[in-house]
Amino acid sequence: MEHRGLGWPRLPRLLELLAALAVQAVRASAIAAASPDLSLWPMPLSVQTTPRVLHLSPDNFFFGHSSTSKAGPSCSLLQEAFRRYYDYIFGFYKWHHGSADLRVGVELQQLQVSVVLDPECDTFPKISSDESYTLLVKGPVASLTANRVWGVLRGLETFSQLIYQDFYGTFTVNESNIVDSPRFPHRGILIDTSRHFLSIKSIFKTLDAMAFNKFNVLHWHIVDDPSFPYQSITFPGLSEKGSYSSSHVYTPNDVRMVIEYARLRGIRIVPEFDSPGHTQSWGAGQKDLLTPCYNGKDPSGAFGPINPIWNTTYSFLSKFFKEISTVFPDEFIHLGGDEVDFDCWASNPEIQDFMRDKGFGRNFKKLESFYMQVVLDMISAINKSSIVWQEVFDDASKLTPGTVIQVWKVEDYTREQSKVTEAGFPVILSAPWYLDWISYGQDWKKYYAVDPLSFEGSQEQKKLVIGGEACLWGEYVDATNLTPRLWPRASAVGERLWSHKDVRGLEDAYRRLTIHRCRMLRRGIAAEPVFTGYCDHEDRM
Amino acid sequence: MAGSALWFSLLLAAAFAGRAMALWPWPQYIQTSEQRYTIFPHTFQFQYHVSSAAQVGCSVLDEAFQRYRDLLFGSVSFHFPQPMGKRHMSEKNSLVILVVTPGCDQFPSLESVENYTLTVNDEQCFLLSETVWGALRGLETFSQLVWRSPEGTFYINKTEIEDFPRFPHRGLLLDTSRHYLPLASILDTLDVMAYNKFNVFHWHLVDDSSFPYESFTFPNLTKKGSYNPATHIYTAQDVKEVIEYARLRGIRVLAEFDTPGHTLSWGPGVPGLLTPCYSGSHPSGTFGPVNPALNNTYEFMSTFFLEISSVFPDFYLHLGGDEVDFTCWKSNPDIQAFMKKKGFGEDFKKLESFYIQTLLDIVSAYGKGYVVWQEVFDNKVKVQPDTVIQVWREEMPVRYTKEMELVTSAGFRALLSAPWYLNHITYGPDWKNIYMVEPLAFEGSPEQKALVIGGEACMWGEYVDSTNLVPRLWPRAGAVAERLWSNKMLTNLDFAYKRLAHFRCELLRRGVQAQPLSVGYCDVEFEQT
């Protein structure tokens, strides 16, 4: 244990140090590019490597806790992570690692992990969670230091990416010094389990791959028009009548498992229950929730968005969101609010009367805003925060401060970012990252080239961009094609949201992404090829 | 033909009612009714008719029976309802197969007859075919007709089918050079091809990127030209296995060794084969197409294709001939001298023709026929009249329908691929465009149309390997399969959508990772491993 500390600046100053290092990021990526074996993804804030190599032996190497760490073996989140990363590093090669005789130089025997502050082992990650870490790789004991377990998780991923097998199969790592922290705190993937059901195994795989790319939010668009797979405890009829079949549901236990699996990887689950539109599947299980559409004087038999004029609507939603707020631990609930079709509302005589009473005239945006504001207040009252799609901002005259606006419309999205931030609302950017829109060739370059802050606005406005999300909508996606469609294309977004804004060289990104894709493949993620070529271990899929 | 259009649409209407909705590709003639028969997996058997030319011991059919038994009744065989009490008329306990022409050990060919009739009525459950290949097609159809009630009982409806393919060449191209595909991926693809009644596996084995075919005459080709000579190769045994696996499913293996372009991976293993490119008066260190000016080149090709001709049993070889880049040839002084000697002037198409013609003569001498990409025709290479021209360019130099017209009016047989490059992906249900292609929609006489022997769906490998091959291929390639098998009047997209969505769920049930056509679900979903 005498190596602890390692001459690195005292740890409470970690954050100041990180800030100081941010300016060096350009230099860092230049250094990284010079080392052909370095295939880190996403690129850390600062990387220094030397040509001096250390070797690791699967029989000898272990992850340990520093004696000064605030986390120890009782932190099961870390113990689980150690086991996972041991497997990612060595597990695959168990039967053909290099001969010990060929090893030269110093052996790296341990990665010693030190958590500086209250580790948050048993809490859930939050938007404000500290993910920064420093990694000092030298023999015989390397050290990984972070304020919280979340930083340790990110650092373990980086550490595992530093290790490679040399020509003789020996596990090798270069002496390195890495200081890292994310550019944006909200780095998400959206999955859509309504248009096609995804088994929790598929969701687990996605969470695995997200951790390999340092994503930290799974935006779970759990229900929509086609099906309602979420099994509600309060309203079991919703999934009984609204799911595709009794095997296409997420039981409370499934949801708990997903949340815990994500937590162990430092990933938040943000559930979305989109309303008042996109709610056809709610109707079957909840009578008198949707608006009956009219054909002239008579109901047509069809239904539209949630009916915003009845008290029963709000008492249902209040109970429903109360359940959601206890089932999902995250501070945020996504309330949707996109693409509300006004035709059905306009056809309904009761709604027409309501509009007149409220003085809304023929402006159905006012009705939409009325509805959203009631729901937003409901969410505030249960001490949660809300995320909504951009229409809620676009159509509102006033909106609860702090509501997070997700920008998704690709036309003029930078202008939308300017408007939203000018009005003082936080922004999540998705518009350029709809990965369900596929095309021939290397479209990852397009996703990679986006800069989330390339809109007109003050420094204060830019600070309101809390991050972004890659969205994989489910019209044409299910468990058969989810993984190759998502990875490594989403990795481009992953780096854009984690790494310094100046890390954008396409050539170096291509080189690293190709290796990173092979690494994902080796870890059991069927990530599709970036371009012509091969991976050493692709036949193991 | 007006009369047949009438019965055809009537039959469509009849079929909408029944379980035949599940059929893909749609048979030429079908009549079904609501009357159904129970099938008990315990007692059900495939049986050879006493007067069948194929009997027990016929590998193609014996193995097919086993496969289709597994596909039909699968792993759940312990939970079937048992037959109770006395047997009823409404029960079928065998499918009787009668093959007219003997032959179980040969390979399928372009001329193979795939016709069959399938009769399921009170009297019989009977599959009649001219050849074993037709019997294979009929077994697939039979397997698509059997359905299962929610309680788990198997049924088949009263049905009469008379079926035959519209085109004899219904192919799928896989590219194993740009990305290596493990043997298992190829074999799995052959299975799904059989489900779709495809009958040609066009194996684009080698290309610029890598040379995975292990040649026993020139082992250095793979040693130096594959991605990894230990893992990313096809051994002689692998190739044999592919050919036999395909044969058992009535699928031909059409091997492509593309030259003189697309050959960079050949270079390291055969020094002197490729043209050294020049930068001014010095070799630049890079290489271009095969060097057509050297005798050694033709000696090598002669030996190499002798091996290929014996390894691949199909009558046809695909010789490539596409996208030859002339800049390297132009830069090379030896080639310039050769051009002058031959009197080719500055016309490098003549040089290309010279090479191809010499190669075709070599291959002809081995008793093989050949398929080439359209450039060989476009560049006016003098080829044998029985050459098959594969049309692949959508717009240039002319639109593909025009190209079909030109190729057939010159009297050559044509294969259509241009609208079926499945590696080109777009958002949404692009299978509809793939489906609506009519291969004979070009100006030409009936004689010209008769020269179109079929088409191929192509899955080029720039962005495709075993991680995304299956969902990118299926069910999109199914759209091509039906266009090449079924009646040309079958163009109703709603009818196709219903059946294809159903067929896609059936593929999932059979373990194929086929991607969704649109929003929805299948009873059995693909399970992540």
Side-chain angles (χ1 to χ4, degrees):
Chain A
M1 295 294 140
E2 53 282 335
H3 291 281
R4 97 178 71 96
L6 298 160
W8 194 244
R10 293 297 91 197
L11 295 162
R13 286 173 43 221
L14 190 63
L15 288 178
E16 290 163 50
L17 182 81
L18 285 170
L21 276 160
V23 289
Q24 295 177 28
V26 188
R27 190 175 60 90
S29 57
I31 292 166
S35 170
D37 292 318
L38 208 56
S39 57
L40 299 177
W41 193 279
M43 182 58 88
L45 191 58
S46 153
V47 182
Q48 287 169 330
T49 60
T50 75
R52 284 190 299 281
V53 294
L54 311 169
H55 68 260
L56 297 81
S57 145
D59 310 324
N60 250 350
F61 178 85
F62 70 102
F63 295 99
H65 298 276
S66 147
S67 62
T68 57
S69 178
K70 292 276 169 48
S74 67
C75 178
S76 61
L77 181 144
L78 287 185
Q79 296 302 112
E80 289 283 324
F82 291 171
R83 188 164 64 183
R84 274 200 316 278
Y85 280 98
Y86 181 91
D87 260 0
Y88 294 145
I89 295 168
F90 304 114
F92 178 73
Y93 307 93
K94 242 167 228 161
W95 311 113
H96 59 283
H97 49 75
S99 152
D101 306 339
L102 295 167
R103 288 176 201 145
V104 287
V106 184
E107 181 173 353
L108 174 60
Q109 294 170 344
Q110 194 193 150
L111 177 68
Q112 204 171 73
V113 170
S114 184
V115 180
V116 178
L117 305 175
D118 169 21
E120 304 181 347
C121 272
D122 302 308
T123 70
F124 290 95
K126 301 191 289 282
I127 180 89
S128 56
S129 290
D130 186 344
E131 296 172 290
S132 62
Y133 66 93
T134 65
L135 180 60
L136 185 60
V137 179
K138 67 178 218 180
V141 179
S143 71
L144 170 60
T145 308
N147 284 336
R148 313 284 185 186
V149 290
W150 317 118
V152 176
L153 290 175
R154 304 299 168 242
L156 285 170
E157 177 57 38
T158 303
F159 177 72
S160 74
Q161 295 188 4
L162 284 172
I163 296 163
Y164 58 95
Q165 281 186 296
D166 72 7
F167 186 75
Y168 303 102
T170 306
F171 294 102
T172 311
V173 63
N174 289 54
E175 280 190 1
S176 340
N177 188 347
I178 291 176
V179 181
D180 200 9
S181 65
R183 182 176 173 203
F184 294 103
H186 185 112
R187 305 180 307 280
I189 297 281
L190 177 147
I191 56 167
D192 169 3
T193 56
S194 172
R195 294 183 174 86
H196 284 99
F197 182 80
L198 297 170
S199 70
I200 59 167
K201 265 189 181 170
S202 292
I203 298 177
F204 289 165
K205 275 272 183 213
T206 304
L207 289 165
D208 283 338
M210 285 174 66
F212 304 157
N213 290 275
K214 295 190 170 72
F215 276 102
N216 67 356
V217 178
L218 181 72
H219 174 166
W220 192 354
H221 187 87
I222 192 165
V223 302
D224 204 297
D225 286 330
S227 77
F228 198 104
Y230 171 78
Q231 197 177 80
S232 160
I233 307 149
T234 328
F235 302 100
L238 286 168
S239 62
E240 265 161 33
K241 304 252 172 78
S243 70
Y244 281 136
S245 86
S246 57
S247 59
H248 292 81
V249 293
Y250 303 106
T251 65
N253 194 47
D254 290 338
V255 173
R256 264 196 300 275
M257 279 166 65
V258 168
I259 293 168
E260 180 61 7
Y261 197 94
R263 186 187 81 83
L264 290 174
R265 285 153 185 80
I267 297 170
R268 299 158 51 205
I269 301 288
V270 174
E272 176 179 353
F273 288 88
D274 192 353
S275 74
H278 289 281
T279 48
Q280 289 293 307
S281 69
W282 304 46
Q286 190 62 28
K287 290 277 164 283
D288 300 332
L289 177 67
L290 303 184
T291 309
C293 315
Y294 276 67
N295 208 339
K297 285 205 173 73
D298 302 306
S300 69
F303 292 88
I306 283 182
N307 194 326
I309 67 167
W310 290 334
N311 288 336
T312 51
T313 294
Y314 299 104
S315 60
F316 161 78
L317 288 173
S318 167
K319 280 184 214 138
F320 182 75
F321 279 114
K322 193 150 221 163
E323 170 184 327
I324 298 310
S325 73
T326 59
V327 168
F328 293 92
D330 202 77
E331 178 199 338
F332 288 91
I333 297 175
H334 201 302
L335 299 176
D338 58 320
E339 301 183 308
V340 185
D341 178 11
F342 297 145
D343 293 345
C344 181
W345 279 351
S347 76
N348 182 300
E350 277 187 73
I351 295 203
Q352 292 159 7
D353 292 347
F354 184 84
M355 294 281 288
R356 202 171 311 123
D357 293 350
K358 289 276 177 188
F360 291 166
R362 296 287 299 165
N363 188 350
F364 286 92
K365 288 182 179 176
K366 289 193 174 161
L367 183 60
E368 178 195 6
S369 291
F370 169 84
Y371 169 86
M372 286 310 301
Q373 198 50 56
V374 179
V375 179
L376 286 166
D377 291 344
M378 219 178 257
I379 300 303
S380 306
I382 48 180
N383 289 318
K384 293 275 184 177
S385 304
S386 301
I387 307 175
V388 291
W389 297 107
Q390 71 179 69
E391 288 95 320
V392 176
F393 168 82
D394 297 342
D395 296 351
S397 40
K398 71 173 182 57
L399 192 60
T400 312
T403 305
V404 178
I405 311 298
Q406 186 160 9
V407 173
W408 70 275
K409 294 188 172 182
V410 75
E411 305 80 21
D412 286 334
Y413 72 84
T414 51
R415 231 182 60 204
E416 179 78 5
Q417 283 180 293
S418 299
K419 280 201 285 193
V420 174
T421 53
E422 198 178 358
F425 291 97
V427 162
I428 294 169
L429 180 65
S430 286
W433 292 322
Y434 267 37
L435 302 194
D436 53 317
W437 288 87
I438 52 169
S439 58
Y440 183 72
Q442 298 192 46
D443 54 1
W444 70 272
K445 292 180 179 173
K446 193 175 69 187
Y447 306 133
Y448 192 74
V450 170
D451 192 278
L453 301 186
S454 67
F455 61 90
E456 287 195 32
S458 64
Q459 284 308 307
E460 285 64 39
Q461 276 177 267
K462 307 269 165 128
K463 279 187 194 140
L464 285 167
V465 177
I466 61 172
E469 290 183 2
C471 299
L472 194 65
W473 294 99
E475 280 85 349
Y476 302 101
V477 177
D478 72 0
T480 63
N481 55 1
L482 171 77
T483 303
R485 194 157 291 195
L486 196 49
W487 309 106
R489 294 163 75 230
S491 304
V493 182
E495 175 152 299
R496 182 54 54 237
L497 294 171
W498 177 278
S499 302
H500 191 275
K501 69 176 168 55
D502 294 332
V503 178
R504 47 191 317 114
L506 273 181
E507 224 171 285
D508 186 56
Y510 174 81
R511 185 188 63 76
R512 286 181 296 114
L513 187 58
T514 303
I515 301 172
H516 182 55
R517 178 257 168 174
C518 289
R519 179 164 50 224
M520 286 196 275
L521 209 57
R522 223 164 48 217
R523 296 179 182 185
I525 305 297
E528 69 179 15
V530 180
F531 189 50
T532 303
Y534 71 106
C535 300
D536 284 327
H537 304 281
E538 60 194 8
D539 50 331
R540 312 296 169 105
M541 274 306 297
Chain B
M1 290 301 278
S4 71
L6 182 62
W7 70 242
F8 184 76
S9 50
L10 286 173
L11 288 168
L12 275 186
F16 265 112
R19 286 278 161 176
M21 280 302 288
L23 290 177
W24 192 276
W26 189 247
Q28 299 285 349
Y29 171 92
I30 174 169
Q31 203 156 29
T32 82
S33 83
E34 286 297 307
Q35 191 187 333
R36 67 188 190 186
Y37 308 97
T38 313
I39 290 177
F40 292 103
H42 287 94
T43 51
F44 181 83
Q45 314 178 33
F46 297 102
Q47 276 178 344
Y48 293 99
H49 192 276
V50 281
S51 37
S52 172
Q55 291 294 338
V56 176
C58 173
S59 57
V60 172
L61 291 184
D62 284 356
E63 294 206 16
F65 294 166
Q66 190 55 50
R67 281 201 308 279
Y68 281 103
R69 163 169 288 285
D70 289 349
L71 285 176
L72 281 170
F73 310 123
S75 49
V76 283
S77 53
F78 297 107
H79 313 294
F80 296 131
Q82 298 284 333
M84 282 184 287
K86 59 181 174 26
R87 297 298 168 86
H88 294 281
M89 270 271 285
S90 64
E91 180 186 325
K92 292 292 173 199
N93 51 29
S94 66
L95 174 69
V96 176
I97 288 99
L98 195 158
V99 175
V100 176
T101 311
C104 287
D105 302 318
Q106 80 284 44
F107 288 93
S109 71
L110 180 63
E111 291 76 29
S112 293
V113 177
E114 295 170 292
N115 301 20
Y116 68 92
T117 64
L118 182 61
T119 311
V120 182
N121 60 25
D122 289 354
E123 288 75 42
Q124 53 185 348
C125 186
F126 182 57
L127 173 59
L128 170 69
S129 69
E130 182 64 36
T131 66
V132 290
W133 316 120
L136 288 177
R137 305 297 167 243
L139 282 169
E140 176 57 38
T141 302
F142 176 78
S143 77
Q144 294 184 12
L145 285 171
V146 175
W147 55 281
R148 206 173 176 194
S149 71
E151 299 74 41
T153 312
F154 291 91
Y155 293 104
I156 188 164
N157 285 45
K158 185 175 172 181
T159 308
E160 177 78 44
I161 289 177
E162 207 179 309
D163 202 9
F164 52 88
R166 183 178 171 204
F167 295 102
H169 185 119
R170 305 180 306 282
L172 176 66
L173 176 148
L174 292 184
D175 169 4
T176 57
S177 172
R178 292 182 176 88
H179 284 99
Y180 177 80
L181 294 173
L183 192 63
S185 288
I186 296 177
L187 301 183
D188 290 348
T189 301
L190 289 167
D191 276 321
V192 195
M193 285 174 68
Y195 305 156
N196 285 274
K197 297 189 170 70
F198 273 113
N199 68 355
V200 179
F201 168 42
H202 178 165
W203 192 354
H204 187 85
L205 265 155
V206 303
D207 205 295
D208 285 332
S209 317
S210 75
F211 199 105
Y213 170 79
E214 193 173 60
S215 159
F216 49 81
T217 328
F218 300 100
N220 275 343
L221 282 166
T222 31
K223 266 196 200 113
K224 305 213 170 142
S226 68
Y227 282 137
N228 179 329
T231 53
H232 289 61
I233 61 167
Y234 303 105
T235 64
Q237 185 54 38
D238 291 341
V239 172
K240 263 195 211 129
E241 198 174 332
V242 168
I243 293 169
E244 179 61 8
Y245 201 90
R247 186 186 79 85
L248 289 172
R249 284 151 186 81
I251 297 171
R252 299 161 51 205
V253 176
L254 175 62
E256 177 179 354
F257 288 87
D258 192 354
T259 66
H262 289 281
T263 47
L264 284 181
S265 70
W266 304 47
V270 188
L273 180 67
L274 302 185
T275 309
C277 314
Y278 276 66
S279 190
S281 55
H282 300 287
S284 69
T286 62
F287 293 89
V290 163
N291 192 332
L294 301 178
N295 282 338
N296 285 349
T297 294
Y298 300 102
E299 278 164 30
F300 165 81
M301 289 297 168
S302 182
T303 315
F304 181 74
F305 276 102
L306 180 61
E307 169 182 331
I308 299 308
S309 301
S310 70
V311 166
F312 293 94
D314 200 79
F315 176 68
Y316 290 92
L317 286 177
H318 201 301
L319 299 177
D322 57 321
E323 298 183 306
V324 185
D325 179 11
F326 296 147
T327 44
C328 182
W329 279 351
K330 276 182 193 163
S331 76
N332 182 301
D334 296 337
I335 303 257
Q336 288 160 9
F338 185 77
M339 293 280 287
K340 204 167 295 159
K341 191 177 109 195
K342 288 279 175 187
F344 291 163
E346 286 295 304
D347 189 354
F348 283 87
K349 286 184 183 176
K350 287 192 175 150
L351 182 60
E352 182 190 6
S353 296
F354 172 82
Y355 169 82
I356 298 265
Q357 233 157 294
T358 315
L359 181 67
L360 295 187
D361 290 344
I362 290 169
V363 173
S364 301
Y366 298 141
K368 290 283 184 181
Y370 38 77
V371 185
V372 290
W373 297 108
Q374 73 176 69
E375 284 94 327
V376 174
F377 169 81
D378 295 344
N379 292 347
K380 303 189 171 55
V381 179
K382 210 151 142 223
V383 295
Q384 310 271 5
D386 61 346
T387 304
V388 178
I389 310 292
Q390 186 161 12
V391 173
W392 72 275
R393 308 191 69 136
E394 268 205 281
E395 298 293 345
M396 294 294 288
V398 293
R399 183 153 174 78
Y400 74 84
T401 46
K402 183 72 185 168
E403 181 81 7
M404 293 293 281
E405 182 191 330
L406 294 173
V407 168
T408 53
S409 77
F412 293 108
R413 287 175 298 167
L415 268 178
L416 182 62
S417 285
W420 290 326
Y421 267 37
L422 302 191
N423 52 310
H424 288 139
I425 51 170
T426 54
Y427 181 75
D430 62 352
W431 69 270
K432 293 181 183 176
N433 301 328
I434 297 167
Y435 186 76
M436 292 309 281
V437 170
E438 167 47 52
L440 302 188
F442 61 87
E443 299 274 324
S445 64
E447 290 72 28
Q448 276 175 263
K449 309 273 165 117
L451 288 169
V452 179
I453 59 172
E456 290 186 358
C458 299
M459 185 56 81
W460 294 99
E462 282 85 348
Y463 302 102
V464 177
D465 70 2
S466 62
T467 61
N468 56 359
L469 173 71
V470 180
R472 194 159 290 196
L473 200 47
W474 310 111
R476 292 162 78 229
V480 181
E482 176 154 299
R483 182 53 57 228
L484 293 172
W485 177 279
S486 305
N487 192 293
K488 71 174 288 190
M489 279 171 286
L490 200 67
T491 51
N492 183 312
L493 279 174
D494 292 334
F495 184 54
Y497 173 76
K498 286 190 187 106
R499 288 180 300 112
L500 192 55
H502 193 297
F503 180 60
R504 179 256 167 176
C505 287
E506 173 62 13
L507 290 180
L508 285 191
R509 201 189 62 81
R510 294 183 184 193
V512 181
Q513 199 177 338
Q515 73 179 8
L517 290 175
S518 177
V519 173
Y521 72 104
C522 298
D523 288 330
V524 181
E525 300 279 11
F526 175 74
E527 198 43 72
Q528 188 90 44
T529 50

